[in-house]
Amino acid sequence: MPIKRNEFRMHQRIVQQTLLMLYFLLSYNGAQGDEKLSKLEEVELEKQLKLLNKPAVKTVKTKYGDIYDCVDFYKQRAFDHPLLKDHNFYPKMKPTLSRIKKNSNSSTVSSSSTIWSKDGGCPFGTVPVKRITKDNLIRQRRMPQPEDVTFDTQFDVSNNNSELKGRYISSQGYKIAIARTPNEPNNRFAGAGMATSVYNPHVKDGQHSGSRLKIQKGSDILQVGWRVDPTLYGDTKTRLFIHFQAGKTHCFNTLCPGFVQVDSEFPLDRSYQNMLSQRGGKTWDATMYIDRDLANGNWWLLMTRSFNQVGFWPQRIFTDLTSFATNVEWGGVAYSPPGVPKPPMGSSFFPIKNSSYDGYCSEITILNEKGKTIKVDETITHTDNPSMYQVFAEPIWHNSEWRYFVLYGGPGESPHV
């Protein structure tokens, strides 16, 4: 496999050089604020925008004002990845998944067409890609490093108790309130899923807050969820997000090569403006899965209860996730830069073990190595600071039955009144 390794190293060098170039282009003294870009900086930004914004077959708008380019499937950003140059992917490809999802019908029309304005969505053979602007690139210089949370297993030997305990080490600025599978290096998970309630916690000043499903092995990570993130998106709307980390390379949505979109209707950074939960009132949730293709190891993103097949991360871009995941977690994450108070999370209140009032992840599932669903009824919970955020994982009475929930949230350092 020497050729693949060389290509991978070349790809890492290209990514590092690009990030370095952007750093020098976009780094300013904070006091300079709105200082205009020099001509050289303008030219370099235009070059970057040309690389990112592929030619559009059609341009469409959502009802909420977002502009998407319908990009030819074969010209999407994913295929700029050196390891995907000689791919054999095509628009009609379908994964080999567990039996429950094999016959999933595409209800994309009913689940996502409601977000498009009267000109409709993208035609078959194209994929919707949110247009990148100069402001997007400038904001990205303020994006924090990815969350770096490690989990150490240790034994609690007090009172002759040999129970496994967990210790988390969170990177600066991030706070989590999550439940996760018991830590076991021999775990072999082929995916996981959840239905998560959708809220719009108030964030500002470089903060972000969201809910996510995260699977991991070693330094490779896959995430899907929703988040409110003005730095990433330029607004305070609640939006779908995906994120992958392969070694030292990491990326949201399709801002860099890696994720191959297949669905022509389902945008990766769609707004959930029409389905926000009201605490104590109507609750909306979004269903999402990450599922490993039984035939080739590609990791598929499935959305809605009909398992709409949105796209996939190809196995070949990973090192550790070329096989199975060892860890899965569900729950909330919040971030603020140094010196800025922590934002609210979930419903913005501490959970009271009532799904009508709490931020939650329900219908949580994990898949074994054969793609069969494993019932989750035991997890390890963790929150960094219980005075800001709390989390519970337990069965609660919901819709006339007992169901296992992860209930999380809190006011952060800005008490909700």
Side-chain angles (χ1 to χ4, degrees), residues 288-416:
M288 45 197 74
Y289 287 82
I290 297 173
D291 201 339
R292 187 176 186 269
D293 193 320
L294 298 174
N296 53 39
N298 296 333
W299 292 92
W300 279 79
L301 171 67
L302 311 176
M303 297 294 300
T304 79
R305 286 177 172 82
S306 296
F307 309 112
N308 292 330
Q309 296 156 5
V310 178
F312 61 93
W313 294 273
Q315 182 199 47
R316 68 186 75 172
I317 70 173
F318 297 106
T319 302
D320 293 318
L321 281 176
T322 54
S323 58
F324 297 94
T326 54
N327 300 308
V328 179
E329 67 181 56
W330 305 262
V333 60
Y335 172 84
S336 63
V340 177
K342 299 296 182 289
M345 180 193 292
S347 69
S348 303
F349 289 81
F350 291 123
I352 59 172
K353 301 184 183 181
N354 185 325
S355 59
S356 296
Y357 289 80
D358 300 342
Y360 67 74
C361 300
S362 69
E363 300 175 31
I364 63 174
T365 58
I366 50 179
L367 304 174
N368 67 15
E369 58 190 294
K370 295 180 180 178
K372 303 301 181 185
T373 300
I374 303 172
K375 185 179 178 182
V376 178
D377 56 10
E378 179 186 0
T379 56
I380 297 170
T381 58
H382 171 78
T383 185
D384 293 300
N385 190 327
S387 67
M388 297 182 196
Y389 313 110
Q390 293 176 8
V391 61
F392 301 98
E394 57 189 65
I396 67 167
W397 189 252
H398 179 85
N399 290 341
S400 303
E401 63 177 341
W402 288 99
R403 287 164 55 183
Y404 195 80
F405 273 74
V406 176
L407 306 154
Y408 73 93
E413 292 180 289
S414 303
H416 198 96

Side-chain angles (χ1 to χ4, degrees), residues 3-21 80-83 219-220 244-250 256-257 316-320:
I3 296 178
K4 275 197 172 184
R5 288 198 190 96
N6 289 338
E7 287 178 342
F8 185 69
R9 290 194 190 102
M10 186 197 332
H11 170 61
Q12 284 190 315
R13 282 198 298 271
I14 291 170
V15 170
Q16 289 167 357
Q17 288 168 1
T18 303
L19 291 175
L20 189 61
M21 178 187 77
D80 290 340
H81 196 300
L83 298 181
S219 60
D220 289 351
F244 81 90
Q245 187 166 326
K248 294 182 180 179
T249 301
H250 70 95
C256 68
R316 68 186 75 172
I317 70 173
F318 297 106
T319 302
D320 293 318

Side-chain angles (χ1 to χ4, degrees), residues 17 69 107 115 124 227 252 260 312 361:
Q17 288 168 1
D69 289 327
S107 63
I115 72 170
F124 176 77
R227 65 199 275 138
F252 283 97
V260 179
F312 61 93
C361 300

Side-chain angles (χ1 to χ4, degrees), residues 35-324:
E35 182 176 321
K36 291 184 177 178
L37 301 173
S38 70
K39 281 189 177 180
L40 175 61
E41 291 162 342
E42 290 276 6
V43 168
E44 291 300 332
L45 276 180
E46 291 299 330
K47 283 183 185 177
Q48 192 70 13
L49 287 172
K50 275 191 175 180
L51 287 172
L52 289 170
N53 289 322
K54 306 298 184 182
V57 173
K58 177 184 176 183
T59 297
V60 294
K61 250 188 182 181
T62 69
K63 292 178 180 177
Y64 314 116
D66 296 326
I67 298 175
Y68 287 85
D69 289 327
C70 302
V71 175
D72 184 287
F73 172 86
Y74 295 101
K75 295 180 180 177
Q76 61 179 294
R77 293 173 194 154
F79 301 134
D80 290 340
H81 196 300
L83 298 181
L84 302 181
K85 292 293 186 184
D86 300 320
H87 69 87
N88 58 355
F89 306 138
Y90 54 94
K92 284 188 176 180
M93 65 187 299
K94 299 290 182 183
T96 303
L97 302 176
S98 58
R99 183 170 55 85
I100 192 172
K101 304 184 188 77
K102 277 182 182 176
N103 299 317
S104 65
N105 58 358
S106 178
S107 63
T108 306
V109 173
S110 61
S111 64
S112 69
S113 63
T114 53
I115 72 170
W116 300 113
S117 59
K118 59 184 178 182
D119 61 350
C122 291
F124 176 77
T126 69
V127 293
V129 181
K130 200 163 187 289
R131 187 175 296 174
I132 301 296
T133 66
K134 194 182 299 182
D135 287 342
N136 294 141
L137 290 182
I138 292 173
R139 279 199 319 276
Q140 283 173 36
R141 81 187 191 271
R142 299 193 298 271
M143 284 292 290
Q145 288 297 308
E147 178 190 0
D148 181 19
V149 179
T150 57
F151 181 86
D152 291 343
T153 301
Q154 53 188 356
F155 284 96
D156 179 3
V157 294
S158 60
N159 300 320
N160 296 317
N161 183 2
S162 60
E163 181 183 358
L164 281 171
K165 297 292 184 182
R167 180 169 63 93
Y168 281 79
I169 306 169
S170 300
S171 54
Q172 187 177 12
Y174 288 91
K175 298 295 178 185
I176 58 176
I178 59 95
R180 60 168 289 153
T181 52
N183 197 51
E184 168 54 61
N186 295 321
N187 285 340
R188 290 169 64 83
F189 300 135
M194 70 175 181
T196 179
S197 56
V198 181
Y199 282 93
N200 183 247
H202 179 69
V203 303
K204 59 181 181 178
D205 300 330
Q207 301 170 331
H208 69 247
S209 183
S211 169
R212 53 81 189 291
L213 160 69
K214 176 180 177 182
I215 73 172
Q216 181 174 3
K217 182 179 180 183
S219 60
D220 289 351
I221 297 171
L222 294 174
Q223 296 185 82
V224 59
W226 60 258
R227 65 199 275 138
V228 183
D229 190 340
T231 307
L232 178 60
Y233 293 118
D235 59 36
T236 55
K237 295 175 182 176
T238 304
R239 293 182 178 274
L240 173 69
F241 84 93
I242 62 171
H243 179 267
F244 81 90
Q245 187 166 326
K248 294 182 180 179
T249 301
H250 70 95
C251 189
F252 283 97
N253 304 326
T254 58
L255 291 175
C256 68
F259 184 81
V260 179
Q261 291 178 258
V262 171
D263 197 309
S264 61
E265 287 280 334
F266 213 106
L268 291 172
D269 34 24
R270 62 159 291 176
S271 166
Y272 283 118
Q273 194 166 330
N274 64 332
M275 51 180 293
L276 293 175
S277 300
Q278 300 299 318
R279 186 173 185 269
K282 184 172 179 57
T283 300
W284 292 86
D285 59 32
T287 303
M288 45 197 74
Y289 287 82
I290 297 173
D291 201 339
R292 187 176 186 269
D293 193 320
L294 298 174
N296 53 39
N298 296 333
W299 292 92
W300 279 79
L301 171 67
L302 311 176
M303 297 294 300
T304 79
R305 286 177 172 82
S306 296
F307 309 112
N308 292 330
Q309 296 156 5
V310 178
F312 61 93
W313 294 273
Q315 182 199 47
R316 68 186 75 172
I317 70 173
F318 297 106
T319 302
D320 293 318
L321 281 176
T322 54
S323 58
F324 297 94

